[in-house]
């Protein structure tokens, strides 16, 4: 499960990086894309939080790190406007 959440975060990070690069070249990011990113990250956080409830102690550390990473990505998305 940790591997899957980590992969999802890497894809989200890549998408955000790509959007920043697009914006830097003068491109305008449609609001619906930013909204979709926000919703996706919120859902990802929700799923990880649910996983934390039944996770073993060994898994909890990785999942907690994932939630921290999601919060960082959410802050980056706020900067896209």
């Amino acid at each position: 499960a940790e591997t899957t959440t980590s992969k999802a975060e890497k894809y989200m990070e890549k998408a955000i990086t790509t959007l920043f690069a697009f914006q830097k070249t003068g491109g305008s990011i449609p609001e619906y894309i930013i909204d979709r990113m926000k919703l996706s990250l919120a859902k990802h956080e929700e799923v990880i939080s649910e996983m934390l409830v039944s996770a073993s102690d060994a898994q909890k550390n990785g999942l907690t790190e994932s939630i921290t990473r999601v919060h960082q990505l959410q802050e980056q998305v706020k900067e896209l406007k």
Side-chain angles (χ1 to χ4, degrees), residues 4-74:
T4 304
T5 58
S6 178
K7 282 183 183 179
E9 288 150 26
K10 287 178 184 173
Y11 285 126
M12 291 299 288
E13 186 172 3
K14 185 174 182 177
I16 292 168
T17 301
T18 302
L19 289 172
F20 271 115
F22 176 70
Q23 193 175 49
K24 202 174 208 178
T25 64
S28 178
I29 302 169
E31 190 65 32
Y32 75 90
I33 291 179
I34 295 171
D35 290 342
R36 181 66 59 105
M37 296 293 289
K38 288 178 182 177
L39 285 172
S40 295
L41 286 165
K43 182 63 178 179
H44 189 64
E45 181 181 9
E46 178 186 327
V47 170
I48 294 170
S49 295
E50 290 172 4
M51 291 170 63
L52 267 170
V53 174
S54 61
S56 68
D57 288 338
Q59 292 174 327
K60 284 184 181 182
N61 187 37
L63 292 172
T64 302
E65 288 176 18
S66 288
I67 287 179
T68 300
R69 185 68 191 129
V70 168
H71 290 162
Q72 292 169 345
L73 293 172
Q74 287 170 328

